Amino acid sequence: MGQTGVIILCHGSRGVRGVIEVPETLRRVTEGVRHLLPPGVEVIGAALQFNRPTLQEAMKTLIVWGVHRIIIVPYFLFSGRHITEEIPKIIEEFECAYPERQFILANPLGLEEHYISRTVKRIEEADPALWPHAHLAPISPGNIEQESMKIVEGLLPPAPNMTAAEREVTKRVVHASGDPEVAQLIEFSPSAISSALIAIAKGSPIFTDVRMVATGINDRLVEACGCSLSCAMDETNGLEQAKEQNITRTAAAMRNLGERFNGAIVAIGNAPTALLALLDLVDHKGIKPALVVGMPVGFVKAKESKDELRKRNIPHITVVGTRGGSAMAVAAVNALLKIAVERNGHDR
């Protein structure tokens, strides 16, 4: 058993349905969370009342299993008396009984923006007639983007610390994903925007990990800014190197480009191994890209590769966690190119 354990704590529900639904809900949540945490972290469910195991029983179970740090995550929306009084009291009792153990109370789920879309979904499920023909109404091509951006703007939470350029990139990435939840996952390093715009103004090259990302980047904007656009997979035949070193073709392609990444914008929207290979070049070859748009997607090394990117002192834009993809990486680069064109008046 590892050093850390997690308890997903719900309120609990009495009655026949509660006996069935509470354990099933906790089972599905804990299994989903477990797959997204590092290996060795045990996750169990508990109820504050009416259902078993109770919070106290779950904590004792983890202690018996040898866990030294227990994180309690309230599966609640609000910080009511359960969060502010009852649970802290239980933790205090366990801290006195087990002083060698550490107990951490995480924040409740709170007001997450994606609940808005979930609420609308429930309304639509309850009364589909509210949308009888709205989705069939014609709309001119010129209005589609404007209407989309208007909707996205309304879904984004206030962000007083976000610059106008960062918000524009965020809107484009959210639009490309079709998911307002993504806005909470986008992370900009402090110099990401400024470094990218300086590189674009210089006509620096833009590299992508796969052809899908390169195909999506707007050629007209690239040309207007005097930049070049290349796909790592097209620049070299890394098949033999990949076989010899037992690495992916994208990783081999990134390694072969090496110093050409200096001062460049590198957009990775598909392959975690490409991002890891780039970071290896940064660490061991001193390569310094002007910006890394690191948005690989998936459940194998995608989150880990982006976590490593966030640790590096290089300008970057990323989507934290397992989400990402070519469309989002493309959206980020196109947004930056568009901002550069508008600011610098490029018109080639």
Side-chain angles (χ1 to χ4, degrees):
M1 180 61 60
Q3 295 292 308
T4 301
V6 175
I7 298 174
I8 306 297
L9 178 66
C10 72
H11 180 275
S13 178
R14 70 177 85 211
V16 176
R17 292 189 63 178
V19 171
I20 298 173
E21 292 185 4
V22 170
E24 175 61 17
T25 298
L26 286 174
R27 182 190 67 80
R28 294 180 62 182
V29 173
T30 54
E31 287 185 0
V33 169
R34 184 181 295 112
H35 288 305
L36 298 177
L37 293 177
V41 177
E42 186 57 50
V43 184
I44 61 177
L48 197 57
Q49 54 187 331
F50 306 128
N51 302 97
R52 306 285 294 275
T54 65
L55 174 58
Q56 293 91 329
E57 291 170 341
M59 293 167 76
K60 288 180 179 178
T61 297
L62 290 176
I63 290 171
V64 170
W65 287 350
V67 170
H68 290 277
R69 183 170 56 252
I70 298 175
I71 301 173
I72 302 159
V73 184
Y75 198 65
F76 293 13
L77 287 178
F78 308 109
S79 296
R81 291 185 61 186
H82 291 311
I83 305 295
T84 60
E85 298 178 19
E86 188 171 350
I87 298 174
K89 183 178 179 181
I90 295 173
I91 291 176
E92 184 178 355
E93 293 172 354
F94 271 75
E95 287 175 335
C96 292
Y98 304 94
E100 73 283 2
R101 300 299 204 274
Q102 182 182 11
F103 302 91
I104 302 170
L105 178 60
N107 292 324
L109 298 179
L111 177 60
E112 296 290 345
E113 295 303 316
H114 64 265
Y115 289 142
I116 297 173
S117 59
R118 291 290 187 272
T119 301
V120 173
K121 181 180 179 181
R122 293 293 181 260
I123 296 171
E124 185 176 5
E125 291 171 348
D127 188 4
L130 286 174
W131 289 267
H133 305 295
H135 62 289
L136 299 177
I139 181 171
S140 65
N143 291 335
I144 292 176
E145 182 179 17
Q146 293 180 5
E147 187 65 21
S148 295
M149 290 300 105
K150 181 180 178 181
I151 293 171
V152 172
E153 179 65 41
L155 291 172
L156 293 185
N161 295 325
M162 182 179 288
T163 67
E166 288 173 343
R167 192 168 183 87
E168 183 61 26
V169 173
T170 298
K171 286 166 56 177
R172 296 288 171 174
V173 174
V174 168
H175 176 247
S177 70
D179 185 358
E181 295 180 35
V182 169
Q184 306 294 325
L185 304 176
I186 301 172
E187 180 179 284
F188 298 84
S189 68
S191 62
I193 298 295
S194 59
S195 181
L197 294 181
I198 290 172
I200 293 172
K202 293 178 179 178
S204 300
I206 301 171
F207 292 97
T208 72
D209 58 335
V210 294
R211 297 182 187 93
M212 187 177 295
V213 178
T215 300
I217 293 175
N218 191 309
D219 289 335
R220 181 182 60 81
L221 292 176
V222 172
E223 182 179 357
C225 293
C227 298
S228 62
L229 176 62
S230 304
C231 170
M233 292 291 289
D234 291 340
E235 288 288 305
T236 179
N237 183 1
L239 183 58
E240 291 303 319
Q241 181 183 354
K243 288 182 178 179
E244 292 173 1
Q245 300 182 14
N246 194 28
I247 58 176
T248 66
R249 290 185 63 190
T250 48
M254 300 296 283
R255 288 184 180 182
N256 284 337
L257 288 178
E259 294 185 357
R260 292 179 62 186
F261 289 134
N262 279 322
I265 293 174
V266 186
I268 298 174
N270 179 268
T273 55
L275 180 53
L276 290 171
L278 177 62
L279 295 179
D280 186 65
L281 291 172
V282 170
D283 293 342
H284 298 101
K285 301 293 184 180
I287 301 302
K288 295 181 179 180
L291 175 73
V292 177
V293 178
M295 300 184 181
V297 62
F299 296 95
V300 179
K301 298 297 183 183
K303 176 183 181 299
E304 292 81 358
S305 66
K306 289 181 282 186
D307 288 343
E308 289 299 317
L309 172 62
R310 296 164 65 200
K311 296 176 184 177
R312 302 307 194 276
N313 186 27
I314 52 176
H316 64 265
I317 305 173
T318 190
V319 177
V320 178
T322 58
R323 299 188 187 187
S326 297
M328 288 193 242
V330 166
V333 175
N334 282 339
L336 291 168
L337 289 169
K338 185 175 181 180
I339 292 169
V341 167
E342 292 172 351
R343 288 189 179 183
N344 300 324
H346 289 295
D347 188 19
R348 299 184 184 182

